[in-house]
Amino acid sequence: MHCTLFNTTYNNNTYIGYNFDWFSDKGKIWFIPENNRNYGYFITTRFGKKLPYEGMNQHGLYISQTAV
């Protein structure tokens, strides 16, 4: 298993790409809208919303994990 994560910025737009080598049919993408207290964001997970492995908020702050 090898994971790759990269990003590049072109014309003030940042693009993020990755591969995730663990096969699972239980993966989900959750979209959580903004409210009066929190930014909107999305997360991807295989084990429920409380155990995400990547995500990004509405301003582009992005987090991900990789494994080797």
Side-chain angles (χ1 to χ4, degrees):
M1 168 180 54
H2 296 80
C3 297
T4 306
L5 177 66
F6 68 91
N7 73 296
T8 187
T9 300
Y10 178 75
N11 288 336
N12 291 323
N13 293 305
T14 299
Y15 301 92
I16 299 164
Y18 80 103
N19 74 314
F20 194 71
D21 291 342
W22 290 347
F23 174 77
S24 173
D25 60 354
K26 296 179 181 168
K28 292 194 177 1
I29 300 175
W30 296 86
F31 294 93
I32 294 85
E34 68 178 315
N35 60 37
N36 291 335
R37 294 177 40 187
N38 299 307
Y39 292 127
Y41 61 97
F42 84 87
I43 58 173
T44 59
T45 181
R46 293 185 319 142
F47 306 110
K49 287 195 291 188
K50 298 198 184 243
L51 295 169
Y53 55 82
E54 68 180 355
M56 182 168 51
N57 74 11
Q58 69 190 46
H59 294 285
L61 178 62
Y62 178 79
I63 188 168
S64 185
Q65 67 180 5
T66 61
V68 180

